[in-house]
Structure formats: C-alpha cells, structure tokens
C-alpha cells in the first residue's frame, strides 16, 4: 500500500462533509466511498440534483426536470435552468481584497501574482472591448496564446457574455491552427506575438498574420506583446494591442444568463485519424462536473494553491482554471518543464507553496530517470497531493514519488479526456492508494470494463465504457449537424454505451489500472499488444529518454514492428543496448513485444 489517509484527513475531506450533508438533508447514510458511488450511478438524476444544491448553483430560472429519458448521446440535463459558469468563479471569491487569484511564472520572470480584484476588473474591461466590437452570444473567440494570466482573463470575459471560447498553444504551426479554428469561424482572435521555450524566444507575428488572413470571419485581432524587442502592432492586420483592449475603467463584469446546455468552449481532439473533432461542452454540464471533481476527488479547499503543468491547447488548462470555482488560487507556468534544469517545476512547487501539484506520468518518469531528489532540495511541506494524468503511471513512478519527492503525499493517478473535460477515474482522500492503481471511479460516472461481447468483467482487461450519461459529455460536435461524428466516436462498438477507447482493469477491491488506448493497440499477427506495456518496460532503461512503437501490416501478410527511441544525453545506441532492450521487453512482456528493428 502506497498511502493511507489519516483520521484527520478523512474527517476534514470535502467528500466527508458532503456525506454528512446528504444524511442531514436527504436522510441518506453511506458507510464509505463505494456505497456512495453505487448510489450516485444508480440514481443519476438525484445525485446531480444534490450537486446543484450542495454547491449552491445560481440559476436565474427553474429547471423543469433534471434528466430526460433520452438515451446517450441525446440525454438533456436541467432543461429550463439558466446560469453562467464565469459568474460562479467570482461568487465564492475571498472577501480579502488583496487575496491572490493567480500566481504565475515564465522562464524569464520570477513568481508574480494577480489579485482577485485585479482579475475581476481586467475581465470587466476586456468584456467592454468585446461589447464595443459587436461580440454576440454564440460568437466564437479563438486564442493563440500561452499559459499566462491574459488567457484566463480573456476566457472569462468571453464566456461571461455567452460567447464561445477556444484556444491552442502558440507552438502550433499555422496549418494545425487552421485545421481547428477554420471549423469554428471565430469573430475575434487573441494572440501572443512571441513565446519562450527552453531559453529561446519564438516570434509568432508572421503566424498571426497568416491565421487572420486565412479566416475571413475574424474581425479583430488582440495582440499580447511578449517580444523582448517591441515592434509596431500595425504589422498584424486588424490588430489592437492588449493594453488598448483593456483600457476601460470598469470594476465589475456582467454575466449573461444562459441555458444549461449553452456552449461554453470548443476543445479539439488530437486529429490522429483526420481533422480534429470540435468537441463542444456546455456551461451547466462542466460547471457541475468541475465542482464535483475538484471538491470531492482533488479535495481542493478555499485559499489553497492548485497547479497543473499544461498548455492552453490541453483540456487540463480549462480544468486548472476551474479551481477558482472553489476559492482556490491557481498557479500558472509558461515554458519548458525542464528549464533551466530538470527540477524547475519542483522548485516552483517550493516557491509558490503549491498544495496540489498536477503533472503527467512522463514527467514523473523523466524526473526518476534523471535521479532528481526534489524532496531533499526543496521545501515541499505545503504539498498535499500530486496528480498524474496523460498516460498510465506505472508502479515505479509511485515508488519514486515516495522515496525522492515526499513520503506522505497523496498521489492521485487519474484518467479522463478532452471528450468530457474531466476524469472518469481518479482519487478520493478517504481511500488508500495502492502502487500502480487508481483509487476509484468518480462519483456519478457509471464506468465499467467490457469484454468483446459487451459483458462486464472484473480482474480482467476490458474496454473502458460509461453506461449512463453525465452532464459534461459533449452537447455536440461543431459542424456535425446530424450527430454522425459524435455517434461514431463513442457509440459504434456498444450501442447506447459510451466506449472511451482505453483498456482498463477493475480489481476486486474496486481500484483500477489503465493499460493505455485500446485504439492505439497493435495487432501483431492476431495478438493484441498494448503500447503502454512496451513503454512501461522501456521506462526501466536509463539510456532511453522517449520511445515510439508502431506495427505495419505488409502486403504479403507479414508484420513489421519497428521501435523508435530518443537517447538520453551522453547515451548511444549500440549492440549492448539493443540486446538489453530486447531482453527487457521479452522478460517484462513477451517475445511478441520484441521489435523487429530499433
């Protein structure tokens, strides 16, 4: 067992308060997490109604019913209710005027902050610019932007008016940006004219001009100057500077009451099997989900500091901003996680006194391979939890955190996706953590493991499925009027059941192990090979920094499986290392996992 919650941790957990609240207000009693989860998925309408009530969601109109009887993906939630996600960000802000909403750091700056008052006034000012520019409810605002406070400000100003947000990182090339933003025809583009990564500055002025010229619907371009050498804003067509856009002297934003299912943002799939899918979520759905998950599964409390290493092109950026809903401060970092050296983010955890540190399994493994010992170098006493997502965290990652980062930290391995902008499975502070395993299925998420026949299985790897609707499932895909793309993305394999595309095993103690993407499975001569198995084995080899394996089915029926690797610094690929790789894969996995060529 990796971690066991103390009696104090259990007593003070947000979810414990919720369980007591259910007893007081609904005469419902639950002895532990599993009975609570079973109730939440057996009674989805009642469960989500309690979430609405428990978090005191402000609605301008009553709902007629909680959940319609339509099957997925046609289920409708809280019809008639009107609300605004952005308004809830400020409803529970700290009373203290000097309280910090955002801590932020870039590669070339020290830790800085933005107070709640400053955040509110800047959102209000940008809102006024949007109104003067003719931005209407339902219009799209696209952002080509770094993970900086201006992104959060622009996001809140957009959705507060009922316009729809979409963003991507400035390291995207023009073609990738156009693959995304052309689909949604934004009226306003917000962009940084430069960004820094790995100690180098990259100008984006030419790219902004190309994007603006290629999307005729863009009427305004708001340019955030980040260049070390300033240049004229007039180089970019239809542009205005950020300083000009937030010139208005207003202190309070306005909030447009919106239907529960009104679109809030458009996230994009990776585009590995065609053009990126424009996944559209709703104000009400993600509001309820983010309150639930951050409060009960991340245990975020008012005044705490929540960090996740992300770019604006990943759903974890949206999720990070959601910590503001609980009165927490968010910590933003823009740049390479290994600049100026590998422990940079661990140093940030010390400097910003981060309580909840979010990262990815590859970062933890990279720290392990580099023999980093942040627990000895930095003061991590404020750190309550470390969360990992993006890919499965192997047992070795758990052991590294305990021995080299912080022995008593709550390590939360979680898995979800852009599709729902949350996690299906993750942590809960009242259960123990077992190495290599995920603690639980999230409340309200009726997740199961199916075999090929669509039968529920335990202690066996199966397809991850969700059997009942949840509020943060997409309301639709943009430019998918018939719903064909939506239907084919999740419901082709098992009718009326969401198939997510991950391999998962549910253990007899109701923990979970993720084995990677089922749609990234290699079918080698009839044998299914999970790529995560290969990568986990290769994590044991210090000389390998990164790896990619593919399997090619040749025209003669034979298979060719090459392994591509990136070497660690000062390492070289020689006969001895190749032998080690093959032997490791054979021992940890099977002879079928050994590549034909390295």
């Amino acid at each position: 067992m990796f971690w066991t919650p103390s009696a104090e941790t259990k007593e003070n957990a947000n979810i414990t308060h919720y369980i007591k609240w259910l007893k007081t207000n609904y005469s419902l009693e639950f002895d532990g997490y599993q009975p609570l989860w079973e109730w939440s998925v057996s009674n989805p309408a009642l469960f989500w109604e309690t979430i609405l009530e428990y978090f005191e969601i402000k609605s301008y109109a009553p709902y007629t019913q909680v959940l319609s009887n339509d099957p997925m993906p046609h289920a409708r939630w809280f019809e008639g209710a009107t609300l605004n996600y952005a308004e809830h960000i400020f409803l529970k802000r700290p009373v203290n005027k000097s309280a910090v909403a955002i801590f932020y750091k870039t590669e070339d700056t020290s830790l800085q902050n933005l107070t709640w008052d400053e955040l509110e006034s800047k959102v209000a000012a940008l809102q006024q610019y949007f109104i003067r520019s003719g931005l209407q409810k339902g219009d799209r605002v696209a952002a080509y932007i770094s993970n900086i406070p201006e992104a959060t400000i622009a996001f809140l100003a957009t959705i507060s008016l009922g316009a729809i947000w979409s963003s991507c990182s400035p390291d995207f090339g023009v073609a990738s940006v156009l693959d995304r933003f052309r689909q949604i025809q934004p009226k306003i583009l917000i962009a940084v004219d430069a960004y820094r990564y790995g100690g180098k500055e990259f100008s984006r002025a030419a790219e902004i001009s190309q994007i603006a010229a290629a999307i005729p619907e863009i009427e305004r371009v708001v340019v955030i100057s980040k260049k070390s050498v300033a240049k004229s804003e007039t180089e970019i067509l239809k542009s205005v500077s950020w300083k000009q856009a937030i010139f208005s002297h207003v202190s309070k934003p306005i909030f447009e009451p919106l239907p529960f299912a009104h679109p809030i943002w458009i996230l994009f799939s990776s585009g590995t099997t065609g053009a990126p899918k424009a996944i559209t979520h709703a104000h009400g759905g993600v509001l309820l989900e983010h309150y639930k998950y951050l409060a009960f599964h991340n245990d975020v409390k008012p005044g705490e500091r929540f960090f996740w290493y992300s770019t604006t092109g990943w759903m974890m950026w949206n999720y990070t901003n959601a910590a503001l809903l609980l009165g927490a401060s968010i910590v933003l970092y823009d740049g390479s996680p290994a600049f100026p050296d590998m422990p940079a983010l661990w140093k940030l955890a010390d400097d910003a006194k981060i309580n909840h540190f979010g990262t990815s399994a590859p970062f933890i493994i990279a720290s392990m391979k580099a023999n980093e010992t942040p627990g000895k170098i930095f003061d991590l006493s404020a750190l309550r939890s470390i969360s990992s997502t993006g890919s499965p965290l192997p047992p070795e990652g758990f052991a590294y955190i305990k021995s080299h980062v912080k022995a008593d930290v709550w390590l939360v391995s979680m898995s979800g996706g852009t599709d729902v902008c949350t996690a299906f499975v993750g942590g809960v502070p009242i259960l123990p953590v077992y190495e290599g395993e995920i603690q639980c299925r999230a409340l309200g998420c009726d997740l199961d493991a199916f075999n090929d026949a669509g039968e529920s299985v335990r202690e066996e790897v199966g397809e991850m499925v969700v059997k009942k609707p949840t509020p943060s499932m997409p309301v639709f895909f943009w430019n998918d009027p018939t719903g064909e793309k939506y239907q084919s993305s999740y419901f082709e394999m098992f009718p009326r059941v969401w198939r997510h595309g991950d391999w998962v095993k549910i253990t007899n103690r109701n923990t979970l192990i993720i084995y990677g993407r089922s749609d990234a499975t290699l079918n080698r001569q009839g044998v299914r090979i999970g790529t995560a198995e290969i990568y986990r084995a290769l994590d044991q080899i210090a000389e390998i920094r990164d790896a990619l394996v593919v399997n090619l089915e040749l025209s003669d029926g034979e298979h060719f499986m090459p392994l591509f690797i990136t070497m660690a610094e000062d390492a070289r690929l020689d006969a001895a290392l190749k032998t080690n790789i093959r032997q490791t894969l054979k021992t940890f996995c099977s002879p079928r996992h050994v590549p034909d060529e390295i």
Side-chain angles (χ1 to χ4, degrees):
M1 191 180 296
F2 175 84
W3 177 84
T4 304
S6 66
E8 183 182 9
T9 296
K10 289 182 179 181
E11 178 62 26
N12 293 332
N14 292 332
I15 196 168
T16 300
H17 184 274
Y18 172 64
I19 291 171
K20 292 177 179 178
W21 181 87
L22 286 174
K23 181 178 179 180
T24 301
N25 292 273
Y26 284 85
S27 300
L28 294 167
E29 292 193 54
F30 300 101
D31 183 20
Y33 181 77
Q34 185 61 22
L36 176 65
W37 176 83
E38 290 172 359
W39 167 79
S40 75
V41 298
S42 299
N43 304 275
L46 178 57
F47 167 70
W48 287 106
E49 190 170 33
T50 70
I51 296 300
L52 188 93
E53 186 180 344
Y54 180 80
F55 289 104
E56 301 175 333
I57 303 301
K58 180 179 179 179
S59 179
Y60 290 87
Y63 51 88
T64 55
Q65 63 176 341
V66 176
L67 175 61
S68 71
N69 292 322
D70 305 283
M72 289 188 289
H74 307 296
R76 300 184 303 279
W77 293 90
F78 294 98
E79 289 182 279
T82 55
L83 43 71
N84 192 294
Y85 185 106
E87 183 171 14
H88 287 79
I89 293 284
F90 296 103
L91 278 176
K92 295 180 182 177
R93 55 157 291 177
V95 177
N96 182 0
K97 289 184 175 294
S98 61
V100 173
I102 302 175
F103 293 91
Y104 60 99
K105 186 186 182 312
T106 65
E107 287 188 352
D108 58 342
T109 64
S110 58
L111 188 67
Q112 301 176 64
N113 65 67
L114 192 73
T115 68
W116 279 94
D117 272 4
E118 290 170 326
L119 175 63
E120 197 167 32
S121 64
K122 288 177 186 295
V123 168
L126 186 59
Q127 217 183 44
Q128 291 302 308
Y129 172 77
F130 285 161
I131 292 169
R132 293 195 304 272
S133 300
L135 190 71
Q136 300 290 318
K137 183 167 62 176
D139 287 342
R140 276 75 63 205
V141 174
Y144 188 49
I145 195 167
S146 309
N147 186 20
I148 51 180
E150 290 90 338
T152 299
I153 293 163
F155 158 62
L156 293 175
T158 298
I159 66 170
S160 61
L161 294 174
I164 305 166
W165 173 265
S166 192
S167 59
C168 68
S169 174
D171 58 356
F172 278 33
V174 171
S176 293
V177 175
L178 294 178
D179 280 348
R180 289 159 172 79
F181 290 167
R182 263 182 178 155
Q183 295 186 54
I184 64 173
Q185 302 172 309
K187 179 179 275 190
I188 294 176
L189 176 67
I190 298 173
V192 288
D193 63 2
Y195 72 94
R196 295 184 67 84
Y197 193 89
K200 298 178 181 178
E201 183 176 87
F202 299 87
S203 173
R204 296 285 95 178
E207 286 78 3
I208 297 169
S209 293
Q210 291 174 54
I211 293 165
I215 304 176
E217 292 82 6
I218 293 176
E219 298 176 4
R220 300 278 191 278
V221 181
V222 180
V223 180
I224 302 163
S225 181
K226 292 294 179 182
K227 282 185 179 179
S228 55
V229 179
K231 290 190 177 181
S232 172
E233 302 290 354
T234 57
E235 293 178 1
I236 298 170
L237 190 67
K238 302 179 284 190
S239 72
V240 62
S241 74
W242 175 263
K243 289 180 180 179
Q244 290 172 306
I246 62 167
F247 181 73
S248 297
H249 295 292
V250 288
S251 58
K252 298 291 182 183
I254 57 175
F255 301 102
E256 179 73 22
L258 304 164
F260 192 90
H262 184 81
I264 182 172
W265 57 56
I266 299 168
L267 304 177
F268 290 93
S269 66
S270 58
T272 53
T273 56
K277 295 186 287 287
I279 300 169
T280 309
H281 291 118
H283 270 254
V286 291
L287 179 64
L288 294 189
E289 175 59 40
H290 287 169
Y291 266 125
K292 178 213 77 177
Y293 200 95
L294 280 152
F296 299 153
H297 296 285
N298 283 131
D299 201 41
V300 176
K301 300 178 187 297
E304 290 193 322
R305 301 178 184 187
F306 186 89
F307 166 78
W308 211 292
Y309 179 76
S310 180
T311 71
T312 58
W314 188 25
M315 56 138 290
M316 293 311 301
W317 178 83
N318 304 64
Y319 183 82
T320 298
N321 282 293
L324 295 168
L325 290 167
L326 296 168
S329 304
I330 59 174
V331 182
L332 308 179
Y333 175 76
D334 184 48
S336 167
F339 183 84
D341 47 33
M342 192 64 204
L345 293 186
W346 299 117
K347 183 178 185 304
L348 178 64
D350 180 352
D351 293 343
K353 302 307 172 193
I354 291 171
N355 304 112
H356 302 278
F357 182 95
T359 185
S360 64
F363 174 78
I364 292 174
I365 297 302
S367 294
M368 179 184 77
K369 286 188 171 186
N371 296 314
E372 296 296 341
T373 56
K376 293 181 180 178
I377 301 171
F378 304 112
D379 177 8
L380 302 180
S381 57
L383 196 60
R384 285 184 56 214
S385 76
I386 296 176
S387 292
S388 170
T389 193
S391 61
L393 181 64
E396 298 79 15
F398 284 76
Y400 166 75
I401 293 294
K402 175 167 277 191
S403 59
H404 295 295
V405 181
K406 192 173 184 180
D408 61 346
V409 75
W410 172 33
L411 180 54
V412 181
S413 184
M414 57 192 282
S415 182
T418 301
D419 321 77
V420 287
C421 200
T422 186
F424 294 118
V425 297
V428 67
I430 58 174
L431 291 178
V433 175
Y434 296 89
E435 288 190 358
E437 299 179 11
I438 297 174
Q439 285 178 281
C440 66
R441 289 169 280 185
L443 293 177
C445 181
D446 192 6
L447 184 141
D448 208 341
F450 274 11
N451 62 19
D452 289 344
E455 300 164 331
S456 179
V457 294
R458 290 295 177 272
E459 291 291 344
E460 180 182 325
V461 178
E463 287 276 359
M464 180 191 287
V465 299
V466 180
K467 297 183 291 186
K468 291 177 184 172
T470 65
S472 70
M473 287 176 174
V475 279
F476 52 79
F477 287 179
W478 202 264
N479 291 331
D480 180 29
T482 65
E484 183 180 350
K485 290 180 184 177
Y486 192 170
Q487 190 76 32
S488 64
S489 294
Y490 310 112
F491 299 101
E492 280 192 339
M493 180 172 284
F494 305 112
R496 298 187 177 184
V497 172
W498 175 295
R499 177 236 179 190
H500 192 60
D502 280 346
W503 291 122
V504 64
K505 178 167 76 176
I506 303 174
T507 73
N508 287 333
R509 58 174 171 243
N510 289 303
T511 59
L512 305 100
I513 303 171
I514 304 288
Y515 290 89
R517 296 291 295 175
S518 61
D519 51 12
T521 300
L522 308 181
N523 190 330
R524 195 180 193 198
Q525 298 170 332
V527 177
R528 293 194 297 191
I529 296 174
T531 54
E533 299 174 274
I534 291 177
Y535 300 142
R536 181 183 162 193
L538 295 176
D539 283 340
Q540 314 298 313
I541 302 174
E543 292 89 343
I544 298 177
R545 193 176 76 201
D546 206 352
L548 173 71
V549 66
V550 297
N551 183 62
L552 307 176
E553 187 172 349
L554 307 179
S555 57
D556 60 2
E558 292 297 312
H559 288 250
F560 176 65
M561 190 170 83
L563 171 68
F564 301 88
I565 60 173
T566 302
M567 303 301 295
E569 192 174 354
D570 298 330
R572 55 189 288 266
L573 182 61
D574 54 20
L577 181 56
K578 288 184 178 182
T579 299
N580 186 18
I581 290 170
R582 293 189 177 100
Q583 188 59 43
T584 298
L585 289 169
K586 185 176 180 180
T587 302
F588 274 79
C589 303
S590 79
R592 293 275 190 180
H593 292 71
V594 176
D596 294 302
E597 193 168 321
I598 303 168

